[in-house]
Structures are given as structure tokens and as C-alpha cells.
Amino acid sequence: MKNTLISIIVPCYNQAQYLDECLQSVLQQTYIDWECIIVNDGSPDDVGIIAKKWQAKDLRFKYIEKENGGVSSARNVGIGVAQGVFILPLDADDKIGMNYIEKAVIAFEENNSLKLVYCRAEKFGDEVGSWNLPNFTLQELSSDNLIFCSALYKKSDWELIGGYDEKMVTGLEDWEFWIALLKNSGEVFKLEDVGFYYRIKTNSRQKDLKNSERKELFEYLSIKHADFFVVQKGSFIALEQEIKLLKKESFKNISNKRIALKVFLKAFFKLDFFK
């Protein structure tokens, strides 16, 4: 895989102020067989001017403009024209470590069963420190997203699952994509080195997500991937029965505790009003 082309997809909407940092981290990669496709998702800022500056600096940078359609749409457009065997999505306000792609490619070379390679991560910006996510299992994935967007996978797998879901405009599209990619087969490998840097900002799409929007997204995920959630968590009927049983047992335990407390107090204090 020494000469295998990697396509880095950078969608950009209102993130021009961070784009130089992001693209500098791409340019510094120890793995040199890459192309970086910057997708201007109808952004009103200066992303086009900045992207063209990087094109002039290195021909491996490419630039696309499209009407605004959300991050899933932007990624799909970029991946659609990508020439690489592997895809690495990278948001325009984040960064990658200089050895990340090289080590991820080696991991794929050593294990043909891999579908996804990611790494340890750190936060920067308004908050700094390690970003400690649970280790990957399908069971954990059924409860929450535990892999950030910048993980390496094969373009052929993107094609098989139909790409990123463009209906999920408000958020959680990464979680849905990982479920679609991994629910039926394939292994995941986590590099022990820090290779991804996640920018923390006061305002972000996830922080601004309303409860009503989150509820709609959860319902959409539950329907689209009902097979996955039933396998990992059991049927909805079984869950309902389990909850009823737990409530019943809790009530029984509380009642028994009240009786025991009443007996104790009566014996200890010998008070008649406990009769």
C-alpha cells in the first residue's frame, strides 16, 4: 500500500478562519500519496480565496464549490470525485497529526479484515486535554457515537452503504454512517498515538442542537437501523417488559425496606405510634 492514494475530504461552511491550520496539518503528513479535496458548501466567507491559495502552493489540494446542503452532502460530493482507495473526512476547524495517515495505512496493510481505523484524540481551542472516548464495541456504538468523523475507511465501503445520509442535516450523521458501515461485518482498529485534534468552540452544531431535533434524529436512527438496535439491545417489547419488571422489583424492595425500618424503630424506641 506504499503508493496507495488517500483522499482527504474537507467540507467547509463558515470555517474559513480555521482552514489554514487544518490544511497545514494535511501538508505536514509523513505519508505523501494523498489528495485533499476542499468542498465549499455554499459558504459566505472567504473559503474560496484561502483554498485557491493552497492549490497554488501544492497541486495535491483540490477545490470544489457547491450550493449549501449540509456536511453529509458536502462529504458525498467530495468523495464522489475522490480518486483515493481510502477516505479520510476532516472538518475544516480540526487538525490531524503528522503520522496519522501513515500509521492508519500500515494498520490496513497488516489486517485485511479492517473496515475502519481511528486513533486517540485531543481537544484544543476553548478546552484542552485528552478526549477520552470509550473503546469501540458494537454494543457501545448502539448507545452513543464513540468515533469522531476523521477515521480512515475504504471508498468502496462508502459506495456500498450509499454514502452519508443527507437527510440528517441537523447532526448525528457520523454516528449513522459508522452504524451503517460496521453493523454487519468488519473490524475496527484504534491507534494508540494521538492523531486527531478536535477544536472546542463556544458555539457548534452539536451544542446548538435542540432537544426536539435530537429527538427526531434518534427516532430516525431507530427506524432506519432497527435491525442493529434490536440485535444490540433487544426488541422494544422485551425492553418495555424489562423496565416494568425493574419498576416492580424496585417498588417491592422499597416496601420491604419500609417494613424493616418500621420494625427497627419500634424495637429501638419502643414507641406506640409505630403500631
Side-chain angles (χ1 to χ4, degrees):
M1 291 190 185
K2 187 177 180 181
N3 299 315
T4 300
L5 184 66
I6 310 299
S7 295
I8 304 161
I9 312 299
V10 182
C12 196
Y13 181 81
N14 273 347
Q15 304 284 2
Q17 60 183 314
Y18 307 118
L19 188 57
D20 279 331
E21 264 189 283
C22 172
L23 300 184
Q24 183 63 37
S25 76
V26 173
L27 187 64
Q28 292 174 335
Q29 289 300 297
T30 55
Y31 190 90
I32 62 172
D33 294 311
W34 54 262
E35 64 174 356
C36 180
I37 302 173
I38 306 153
V39 184
N40 183 345
D41 189 31
S43 185
D45 57 16
D46 295 331
V47 59
I49 296 172
I50 296 170
K52 289 171 183 177
K53 177 188 73 176
W54 283 89
Q55 273 189 299
K57 183 181 294 190
D58 193 312
L59 293 176
R60 291 176 294 178
F61 289 105
K62 300 173 183 179
Y63 178 63
I64 298 174
E65 292 182 352
K66 64 180 288 295
E67 292 184 2
N68 180 252
V71 67
S72 291
S73 172
R75 285 180 188 156
N76 285 341
V77 167
I79 298 170
V81 300
Q83 299 297 310
V85 174
F86 291 97
I87 302 297
L88 180 70
L90 177 61
D91 287 348
D93 54 345
D94 296 330
K95 300 184 297 184
I96 49 175
M98 63 188 301
N99 299 318
Y100 184 24
I101 294 178
E102 180 182 2
K103 292 187 176 182
V105 169
I106 291 172
F108 271 106
E109 190 175 29
E110 293 176 346
N111 186 350
N112 292 329
S113 298
L114 288 181
K115 267 197 175 178
L116 186 70
V117 174
Y118 70 119
C119 61
R120 291 176 58 213
E122 284 188 1
K123 304 172 189 175
F124 73 107
D126 290 348
E127 184 182 338
V128 296
S130 297
W131 188 12
N132 297 316
L133 295 167
N135 290 327
F136 174 83
T137 64
L138 287 176
Q139 182 67 41
E140 287 284 353
L141 188 65
S142 70
S143 297
D144 201 356
N145 187 21
L146 39 89
I147 302 175
F148 40 80
C149 72
S150 294
L152 204 73
Y153 57 85
K154 294 176 183 177
K155 181 176 177 178
S156 58
D157 284 329
W158 169 84
E159 292 170 340
L160 282 172
I161 63 177
Y164 290 88
D165 191 330
E166 297 183 19
K167 293 179 182 177
M168 303 186 74
V169 178
T170 54
L172 305 188
E173 69 287 331
D174 296 327
W175 189 16
E176 190 282 326
F177 185 79
W178 301 141
I179 291 172
L181 179 70
L182 300 167
K183 66 179 182 179
N184 292 322
S185 65
E187 296 180 20
V188 174
F189 183 73
K190 182 180 180 182
L191 300 167
E192 286 305 311
D193 298 320
V194 174
F196 177 66
Y197 298 88
Y198 180 64
R199 188 185 298 273
I200 303 295
K201 298 176 292 187
T202 303
N203 297 314
S204 68
R205 209 162 51 104
Q206 294 303 318
K207 288 181 181 177
D208 295 339
L209 193 61
K210 298 176 183 176
N211 288 334
S212 58
E213 293 172 329
R214 193 179 297 275
K215 182 175 181 292
E216 287 178 6
L217 288 169
F218 285 155
E219 289 174 351
Y220 180 76
L221 275 175
S222 298
I223 294 169
K224 183 173 182 179
H225 295 293
D227 55 340
F228 169 70
F229 289 109
V230 167
V231 169
Q232 298 302 322
K233 293 185 175 297
S235 71
F236 300 115
I237 296 173
L239 284 173
E240 185 180 19
Q241 293 300 315
E242 186 176 345
I243 290 169
K244 285 181 179 179
L245 181 61
L246 287 171
K247 285 181 178 179
K248 186 177 180 181
E249 289 296 323
S250 296
F251 179 78
K252 183 179 178 181
N253 290 335
I254 290 170
S255 298
N256 289 339
K257 286 179 181 178
R258 284 176 178 167
I259 293 169
L261 180 61
K262 184 176 178 180
V263 171
F264 171 77
L265 292 174
K266 183 176 180 182
F268 189 81
F269 292 105
K270 296 182 181 178
L271 298 176
D272 291 336
F273 60 81
F274 284 105
K275 292 179 181 179

